[in-house]
């Protein structure tokens, strides 16, 4: 449908173009008129060459036209066919054009075009003829039958050439016009308004003139059609009529054209005049321009003509061709073969031309070629028959008019539509007239393009013919349809266009095509009807829309995963809080380090951790525990710690205080130096030292008992008695500080070591401290910038064990080594034995004033109970030492009855026989020392009495065994007497009565390194040094320390290491503790001193 | 116009043509036409004689963008119908729709 549509358009324009020309002729439009005038000028020039010929030709043409009218129908049919052929050709060629690489094809096309041109010419000629017939049959009654066909041919040629020329001109003009258009935009608009009026006028005239003829023809045609298509319906008949109508219009147009032509006459001047006349009423403005153009055209054509004159040589050929043409005309109905011949002829001719003019190349512009050819033809023909140019020229206008008349039928629709199409087609043209020109031009261009292809070949001619035939048929089809549509009054644009084409193309009437068209239209109408009926039944809707695809965009995570997945990796995630699978709750993994601690601290490991592999903390701990002998380690640490601290102290002392200490040496004659323990501590300040006691095992460890302070220095401790454990080599501070609520009367270390300490109090309780306990178990105080741990008793019998406990003040505490039971006869002294006895399994003897001797078993618990024991109420939580009551001995039962009758004597002190702990000696307040055993038979002597008989109210204040020989002991009494006893005799060996001038003896102490020497302290702070080897009767030296009173003494030294330093510990009332280092001759034992002593004693006794 | 049947056919065609195919902007136009033709011939085999067929094939690249396609038809909903199938792989998606219009 499309190609036909296109064609329709073009056709429409063609007709409209003609219309425009008519207007131009009327002088409405300067441009149009100028165009026309140009063309006319050209014609004039040509005619000037052969005026007579042209005139002749015209005459002939007129005559022939008359004849023609009689066979008009035939001609019309022919024309129709031809018309169709042309259309088909065009179509085919268009298609072919695209492929035209080969020269042969080019040639072919040229031939075709030539053929076409012939057809055109024919048509034109026919038109002219008709016109002639219509208009001039009265004036030109001559019938030229023989010349008729020839004339037709010639006319065709001329017309064709003229037409092509005209087209070319138009093209040119249009170009100019385009330029002008922009300039004269307003002018044109005005013209556009005027144009329709003119057209209408003309149409009216035409109608009046040709009414009669039209009617006749219509009827005739109708009849003929009916004969052919017996089956055709009334509708079809109508259609036929309508179809016919255009052709009738055409005829009428021709008539008119011819008339005009006649009026103008063949003379150039006349025509020019007419042109001018036309122009004048319209627009005088364009006249000058037109004339200029005419001139230009003239010049051009003159040049061309000269060129053509050369072709006269080929006059013979031309004649042949003419003859052929005549033949062809005779075989009017066998048209199809004719083109071939014609073409052959033309091909020949053109080849010749080409040969002649080598300068004309194929590439030369199409326009020029065409011009050339057309001019050639024109000239040649004009030579032969006289120029038909005049006729053609004049024909132009009538043709246009005719077209317009035809168009008038559907005037309004046409105009509007053409405008629309024109606007689609070429936007440059605002006027539809211009558009028509454009359409025309395009037709021409197509032709030109075809011409451009130079190569020609016969071989393809047949194919072309076929194509032509096909085209013809198609045209017929479209025509039929268009006609039908028009008469059904269905304003279909396409159909209208096609309808207009027919008339535009002129005189082509084909009954076969019409028949076909009719059939087709019938079918179409049926279909239409059906579709209409169906449409009533069918509901078309587009309410539902279908979703074909809905692909949601990927979110960021998906994109990430997509990209991630391509990298051949895997993704995993870990979440520490497994039951909280929510993104918001996810947290970083918390770094953990395992550490442990323990409260209260037990052992040396209280806290730990920070092991590199945290998972194996417990394992590592256990392994450490397994590998390390913790006891050994702790022992080592303890001793090492002490050693180190001692070393540090010594160094310090050496550095700063050695002179001070040495300076004090002068205080005692027996000493060559002294040092002081630092008791100037806040919590010790103002406390009197009640007792000093060296550890029997570790001789440098000293404990001191401090009374309540006279003025409270540290408030918290003001009500507590204190026991300090010192290392005399570390004098700056006590190693441990023990506190006790009640007054401590006596205290002692454990027998084998210094890890435990026992004390008796005035309220009858026995308390024990475990020095191994960690300091965190006890309360610590920050005193004087230093932290002190005040240890409370681990175990106390206070308030518990009330049945067996002491009811009065405990006067003495004394450890009983169990080892002594195992080896009763071994060794000189229990205390001197350094054999390591493990554990704390030993007995403790405590003696109170009432003479009750309690024996306790010291038990060390394997496991501490930090929660506190429910059964052992005296045990502090976490404590490991407790006392279990073993046995009780009523000491007074050993005393004679006569002594007891006076009242139970107070027992003041107790000593165990170092060689046999089973025996104990108890000092009483009646001046007697009772001798008892813990178990077994009563030992003799029961009592040790002074030399003077009887019991006296004299307190035995102290008893001390000699460290050598084991059987001698000294007894100090409150009346100032000192007795030296042997354990085997009741009476003393030696008794000194007035050595102290009657002052009570506070303490007696055998020297640790020399058997024949002892120290005596009286209550007046006098120290007497006795050297029995030197002098038995009087002390070897007497010292008194002023102003301070000495409250207690203790002897430093190791009996087994006589070379070691020995000294005298002096405790002052002010709380100071001094060490007086004994001079060498006092400390070093003499040779056979013990034997000498025995001898002296025997001699004395 | 049996949607299910046609859909199965379209699916088959898509699978045959597009399996192991990656999006290549140069060759996709041809593939699209090829698929459209294949679908048309396949559907014609189903003997929907009175139906005019319109086959539309769209192939696009998968880049994570969202795509929405919809169709709207001005037709007789009683007789006319369409079938549509989607094929997707990692690099492309293909939507093929076949519309059948009953020809009275």
């Amino acid at each position: 449908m499309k190609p036909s549509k296109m064609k329709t358009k073009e056709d429409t324009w063609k007709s409209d173009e003609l219309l425009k020309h008519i207007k131009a002729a009327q002088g409405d439009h300067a441009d149009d008129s100028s165009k026309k005038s140009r063309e006319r000028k050209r014609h004039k020039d040509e005619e000037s060459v052969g005026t007579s010929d042209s005139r002749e030709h015209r005459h002939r043409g007129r005559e022939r036209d008359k004849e023609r009218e009689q066979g008009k129908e035939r001609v019309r049919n022919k024309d129709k066919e031809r018309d169709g052929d042309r259309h088909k050709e065009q179509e085919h060629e268009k298609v072919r054009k695209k492929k035209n690489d080969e020269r042969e094809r080019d040639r072919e096309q040229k031939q075709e075009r030539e053929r076409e041109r012939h057809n055109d010419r024919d048509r034109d000629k026919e038109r002219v003829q008709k016109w002639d017939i219509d208009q001039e049959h009265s004036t030109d009654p001559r019938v030229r039958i023989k010349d008729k066909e020839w004339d037709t041919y010639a006319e065709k040629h001329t017309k064709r050439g003229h037409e092509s020329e005209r087209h070319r001109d138009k093209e040119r003009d249009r170009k100019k016009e385009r330029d002008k258009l922009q300039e004269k935009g307003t002018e044109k608009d005005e013209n556009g308004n005027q144009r329709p009026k003119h057209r209408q006028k003309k149409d009216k005239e035409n109608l009046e003139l040709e009414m009669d003829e039209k009617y006749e023809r219509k009827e005739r045609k109708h009849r003929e059609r009916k004969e052919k298509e017996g089956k055709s319906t009334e509708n079809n008949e109508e259609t036929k009529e309508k179809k016919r109508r255009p052709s009738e219009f055409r005829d009428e147009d021709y008539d008119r054209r011819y008339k005009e032509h006649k009026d103008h006459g063949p003379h150039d001047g006349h025509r020019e005049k007419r042109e001018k006349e036309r122009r004048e009423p319209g627009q005088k403005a364009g006249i000058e321009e037109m004339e200029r153009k005419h001139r230009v055209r003239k010049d051009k054509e003159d040049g061309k003509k000269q060129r053509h004159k050369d072709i006269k040589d080929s006059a013979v050929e031309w004649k042949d061709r003419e003859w052929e043409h005549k033949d062809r005309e005779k075989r009017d109905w066998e048209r199809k073969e004719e083109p071939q011949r014609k073409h052959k002829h033309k091909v020949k001719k053109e080849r010749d031309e080409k040969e002649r003019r080598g300068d004309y190349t194929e590439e030369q512009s199409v326009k020029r070629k065409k011009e050339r050819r057309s001019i050639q033809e024109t000239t040649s023909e004009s030579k032969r028959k006289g120029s038909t140019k005049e006729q053609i020229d004049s024909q132009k206008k009538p043709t246009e008019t005719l077209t317009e008349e035809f168009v008038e039928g559907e005037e309004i629709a046409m105009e509007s539509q053409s405008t629309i199409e024109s606007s689609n087609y070429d936007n440059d043209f605002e006027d539809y007239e211009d558009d028509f020109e454009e359409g025309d031009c395009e037709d021409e261009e197509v032709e030109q393009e075809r011409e451009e292809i130079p190569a020609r070949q016969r071989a393809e001619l047949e194919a072309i013919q076929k194509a032509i035939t096909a085209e013809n048929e198609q045209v017929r089809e479209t025509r039929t349809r268009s006609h039908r549509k028009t008469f059904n009054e269905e304003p279909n644009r396409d159909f209208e266009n096609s309808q207009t084409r027919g008339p535009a193309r002129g005189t082509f009437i084909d009954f076969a095509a019409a028949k076909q068209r009719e059939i087709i239209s019938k079918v179409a109408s049926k279909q239409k009807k059906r579709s209409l009926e169906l449409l009533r039944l069918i509901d078309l809707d587009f309410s539902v829309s279908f979703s074909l695809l809905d692909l949601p965009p990927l979110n960021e995570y998906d994109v990430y995963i997509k990209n991630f997945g391509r990298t051949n990796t895997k993704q995993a995630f870990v979440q520490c809080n497994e039951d909280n699978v929510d993104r918001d709750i996810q947290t970083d993994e918390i770094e953990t380090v395992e550490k442990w601690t323990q409260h209260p601290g037990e052992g040396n490991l209280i806290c730990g951790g920070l092991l590199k592999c945290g998972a194996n903390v417990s394992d590592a701990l256990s392994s450490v525990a397994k590998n390390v002998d913790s006891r050994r380690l702790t022992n080592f640490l303890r001793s090492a710690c002490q050693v180190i601290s001692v070393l540090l102290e010594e160094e310090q002392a050496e550095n700063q205080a050695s002179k001070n200490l040495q300076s004090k040496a002068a205080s005692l004659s027996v000493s060559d130096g002294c040092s002081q323990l630092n008791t100037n501590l806040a919590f010790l300040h103002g406390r009197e030292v009640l007792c000093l006691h060296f550890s029997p095992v570790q001789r440098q460890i000293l404990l001191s008992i401090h009374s309540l302070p006279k003025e409270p220095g540290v408030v918290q401790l003001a009500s507590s008695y204190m026991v300090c454990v010192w290392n005399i080599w570390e004098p700056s501070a006590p190693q441990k500080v023990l506190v006790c609520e009640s007054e401590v009367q006596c205290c002692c270390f454990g027998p084998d070591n210094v890890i435990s300490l026992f004390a008796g109090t005035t309220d009858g309780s026995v308390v024990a401290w475990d020095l191994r306990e960690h300091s965190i178990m006890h309360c610590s105080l920050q005193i004087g910038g230093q932290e002190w741990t005040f240890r409370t008793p681990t175990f106390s019998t206070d308030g518990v064990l009330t049945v067996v406990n002491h009811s009065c003040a405990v006067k003495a505490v004394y450890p009983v080594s169990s080892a002594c039971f195992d080896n009763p006869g071994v060794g000189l002294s229990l205390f001197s034995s350094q054999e390591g006895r493990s554990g704390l399994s030993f007995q403790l003897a405590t003696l109170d004033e009432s003479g009750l001797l309690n024996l306790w078993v010291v038990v060390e618990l394997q496991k501490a109970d930090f929660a506190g024991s429910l059964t052992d109420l005296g045990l502090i939580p976490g404590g490991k030492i407790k006392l279990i009551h073993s046995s009780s001995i009523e000491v007074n039962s050993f005393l004679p009855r006569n002594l007891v009758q006076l009242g139970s004597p107070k027992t003041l002190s107790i000593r165990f026989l170092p060689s046999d702990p089973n025996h104990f000696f108890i000092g009483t307040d009646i001046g007697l020392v009772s001798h008892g055993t813990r178990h077994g038979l009563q030992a003799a002597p029961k009592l040790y009495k002074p030399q003077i008989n009887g019991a006296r109210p004299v307190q035995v204040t102290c008893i001390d065994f000699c460290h050598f020989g084991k059987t001698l002991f000294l007894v100090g009494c409150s009346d100032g007497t000192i007795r030296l006893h042997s354990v085997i005799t009741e009476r003393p060996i030696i008794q000194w009565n007035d050595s102290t001038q009657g002052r009570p003896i506070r303490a007696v102490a055998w020297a640790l390194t020399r058997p024949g020497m002892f120290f005596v302290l009286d209550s007046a702070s006098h120290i007497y040094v006795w050297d029995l080897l030197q002098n038995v009767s009087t002390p070897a030296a007497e010292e008194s320390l002023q102003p301070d009173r000495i409250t207690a003494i203790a002897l430093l030294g190791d009996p087994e290491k006589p070379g070691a330093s020995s000294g005298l510990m002096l405790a002052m009332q002010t709380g100071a503790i001094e060490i007086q280092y004994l001079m060498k001759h006092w400390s070093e034992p003499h040779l056979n001193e013990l034997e000498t002593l025995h001898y002296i004693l025997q001699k004395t006794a | 116009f049996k949607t299910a049947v046609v859909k199965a056919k379209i699916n088959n065609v898509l699978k045959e043509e597009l399996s192991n195919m990656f999006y290549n902007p140069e060759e996709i136009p041809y593939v699209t036409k090829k698929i459209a033709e294949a679908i048309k011939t396949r559907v014609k085999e189903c003997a929907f004689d009175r139906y005019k067929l319109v086959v539309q094939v769209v192939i696009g690249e998968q880049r994570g963008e969202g795509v929405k396609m919809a169709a709207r038809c001005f037709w007789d909903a009683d007789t006319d119908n369409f079938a549509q199938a989607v094929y997707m792989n990692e690099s492309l998606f293909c939507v093929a729709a076949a519309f059948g219009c009953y020809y009275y």
Side-chain angles (χ1 to χ4, degrees), chain A residues 58-59 61-70 72 128-143 209 212-213 216-217 251 254-256 258-259 262:
Chain A
R58 208 184 58 200
H59 275 283
R62 269 177 213 155
E63 287 165 2
R64 200 204 57 186
D65 282 350
K66 250 196 175 173
E67 267 198 6
R68 247 227 154 117
E69 236 200 309
Q70 295 163 356
K72 203 182 269 174
V128 174
Q129 283 168 355
K130 277 182 219 158
W131 199 35
D132 287 349
I133 290 157
D134 291 337
Q135 298 290 327
E136 297 183 349
H137 55 95
S138 56
T139 51
D140 248 332
R142 280 173 290 171
V143 180
L209 279 167
D212 303 344
E213 277 191 16
E216 271 183 19
R217 268 173 231 149
D251 291 349
Y254 287 158
D255 293 347
R256 220 175 118 249
Y258 198 77
K259 224 189 264 167
K262 205 175 78 183

Side-chain angles (χ1 to χ4, degrees), chain A residues 933-989:
Chain A
T933 58
R934 290 185 294 168
H935 40 73
L937 295 172
Q938 186 69 268
K942 280 186 179 177
L943 290 168
Y944 299 95
K945 297 170 185 173
Q947 284 178 335
I948 302 144
N949 65 26
R952 290 181 298 165
V954 174
Q955 292 177 358
V956 175
T957 54
C958 57
I959 300 164
D960 195 25
F961 276 88
C962 176
H963 300 286
F964 303 93
K966 296 153 192 156
T967 54
L968 296 173
F969 66 92
L970 285 168
V971 176
C973 297
S974 58
D975 61 350
T977 60
I978 303 165
R979 295 177 297 183
L980 177 66
H981 283 275
S982 173
V983 289
I984 51 173
T985 57
E986 197 177 38
R987 297 295 171 175
I989 300 168

